[in-house]
Amino acid sequence: MKIGNIIVYDIETGGFSREKNGLAEIAMIAIDIVTLEEVDRYEAVIAPYDNLEGIRVTYTSEALKVNGLTMKQIENGKPGKEVVAEMMAFAKKHKRASKKPMLCGHNIEKFDNPWIDYFFLCFKKDASKHFENWCIDTMWWSALKWPLSGEGEEVLKPNLGTYGKEVGIKLSIAHSAMHDTEANAKLAVTFLKALRGDTVVVEQEAKERTRTAFQM
C-alpha cells in the first residue's frame, strides 16, 4: 500500500471556539515517509479574519497569556487567505506521487483538524482536497503505549510534554507552535522507527515548559 508523506503540525488559537475565536498561529514540519527525515517546514502568525457568518474572530486574554502571542503580533500577521494558499502549496509540494500528505499531531483528531477545516472554509477552500482524510494522532498512539491509568500505576496526563518525557524529549521553554511541532515530530518518528524495528536514539532538548488546556 502506497501512502503519502507526513506533515506534523500544531496550532495556537485565540480560545476554544473555532467559530468565534481566531486561529492565531500554525507550524508544520514535513517528514519523508521513507527516510523519516525532516524535509521542510512552514510557520505563520495569522491576522484576524472573518468567520463563516462574516463576523470578525476574537482572541481571549486567557488564550493569549498561554500562547505568548500579543494582539500586535496577530494584527501584523499574514492574511488568512494568504496562509491558506501557502498551506495548500506546502501540501502539494509534499505529496508522494498521487498520494496526499497525511497530517500528524497531538490530539489533532478532536481539536486541531476541525480548526483547520473551519479555517479553510472561511476562505472557501476544502482542506480534505489537500490532506488525507485519515491522520496520525500521537495522543492515541501514546495512550496505547503508556496507558493513562491502572491499578497501582501512576496516572499520566495525556499531553505532549508528559509523553515526550517517556522517550527523552523535552519541550523548549520558548513558546510557539513550532516548538511543539518539533517535539511532536520527534515523538512521531520515535513511534514509526519502533514500528519498523529501528534503534531509536532521542536527544535531550532544552528546558521543559508547562502546558495547559489551550495548548493541544
Side-chain angles (χ1 to χ4, degrees):
M1 177 181 176
K2 198 167 189 178
I3 58 176
N5 290 320
I6 299 170
I7 292 179
V8 185
Y9 84 105
D10 184 63
I11 61 174
E12 300 293 344
T13 70
F16 286 122
S17 172
R18 58 182 176 272
E19 292 84 10
K20 296 179 181 179
N21 305 130
L23 180 62
E25 185 180 24
I26 184 164
M28 310 176 88
I29 291 178
I31 303 292
D32 185 288
I33 193 62
V34 176
T35 65
L36 299 182
E37 296 288 335
E38 176 184 335
V39 292
D40 202 0
R41 58 175 58 193
Y42 171 80
E43 62 183 320
V45 174
I46 304 161
Y49 54 92
D50 293 341
N51 67 13
L52 288 177
E53 296 180 353
I55 300 171
R56 184 56 50 109
V57 294
T58 59
Y59 307 82
T60 69
S61 58
E62 293 87 353
L64 296 180
K65 184 178 179 180
V66 168
N67 61 42
L69 293 169
T70 66
M71 281 308 303
K72 183 176 181 180
Q73 287 176 299
I74 293 171
E75 288 164 358
N76 290 330
K78 288 187 176 183
K81 183 177 181 179
E82 183 178 335
V83 173
V84 168
E86 289 176 348
M87 289 174 65
M88 291 190 300
F90 193 81
K92 183 178 181 180
K93 180 180 178 181
H94 297 293
K95 288 176 66 176
R96 186 165 174 254
S98 62
K99 296 297 181 180
K100 294 178 288 187
M102 69 189 92
L103 293 173
C104 171
H106 202 78
N107 197 30
I108 61 172
E109 186 177 357
K110 290 187 176 181
F111 189 81
D112 303 63
N113 286 357
W115 271 87
I116 295 300
D117 289 339
Y118 188 85
F119 179 62
F120 269 57
L121 288 174
C122 289
F123 299 95
K124 299 181 172 57
K125 299 296 181 182
D126 182 355
S128 68
K129 292 183 177 179
H130 305 278
F131 304 99
E132 276 291 351
N133 290 323
W134 62 283
C135 65
I136 296 174
D137 194 321
T138 55
M139 186 180 76
W140 296 114
W141 284 24
S142 299
L144 288 168
K145 182 170 178 58
W146 302 291
L148 297 182
S149 62
E151 187 175 351
E153 296 176 358
E154 180 184 359
V155 176
L156 299 178
K157 293 182 180 180
N159 57 38
L160 181 57
T162 298
Y163 289 136
K165 276 185 183 180
E166 297 296 313
V167 292
I169 298 169
K170 289 188 177 182
L171 293 175
S172 169
I173 195 169
H175 186 44
S176 73
M178 184 55 79
H179 286 284
D180 288 350
T181 302
E182 289 172 339
N184 203 37
K186 289 189 175 183
L187 181 61
V189 168
T190 298
F191 280 129
L192 290 168
K193 285 185 175 181
L195 282 171
R196 297 179 184 185
D198 296 340
T199 300
V200 181
V201 178
V202 181
E203 294 181 357
Q204 295 289 332
E205 288 214 331
K207 296 180 181 179
E208 178 187 7
R209 65 176 171 80
T210 302
R211 294 176 61 84
T212 64
F214 281 110
Q215 299 164 272
M216 298 295 184

